[in-house]
Amino acid sequence: MVVSIIAVLTAVAVVNYDKAKVKSRDVQRKKDLTMMASALETYRADLKSYIISSGTDPNYNFDNADTVLTALVPNYIQSFPLDPNSTTATV
């Protein structure tokens, strides 16, 4: 009887812990998005234009996401945020 009660309590604790981890990662992702939005707005304020994907001006001609990141890092954002569920950057 005691063993089954402990098993049920352990199962509930594990489920609650997993939910807390998921919520924590989601909160971090929202913070990262806010930080990226702020970096993009600061970039726009400085250069009077958002980063665009093509154009004739070499300062604004970005072929892929990696080159967009180089426009922001390190002047507008310290580093590109990583997915809290991973150790690598995902673009």
Side-chain angles (χ1 to χ4, degrees):
M1 177 78 169
V2 172
V3 173
S4 62
I5 291 173
I6 292 173
V8 168
L9 291 174
T10 302
V12 168
V14 168
V15 169
N16 286 335
Y17 177 72
D18 286 342
K19 286 181 182 179
K21 283 188 347 184
V22 168
K23 186 174 182 177
S24 173
R25 288 191 301 256
D26 288 347
V27 166
Q28 183 61 48
R29 288 179 182 116
K30 288 178 184 178
K31 286 180 184 178
D32 290 345
L33 287 172
T34 300
M35 182 177 55
M36 289 296 295
S38 176
L40 288 168
E41 288 299 324
T42 304
Y43 179 96
R44 183 195 60 79
D46 287 351
L47 299 177
K48 310 296 187 253
S49 176
Y50 286 110
I51 299 171
I52 56 175
S53 61
S54 64
T56 56
D57 185 343
N59 294 322
Y60 297 107
N61 189 7
F62 300 106
D63 296 330
N64 60 46
D66 290 334
T67 53
V68 172
L69 294 178
T70 60
L72 295 177
V73 176
N75 295 327
Y76 297 96
I77 190 170
Q78 187 175 15
S79 64
F80 188 72
L82 301 176
D83 184 338
N85 207 25
S86 173
T87 57
T88 59
T90 54
V91 180

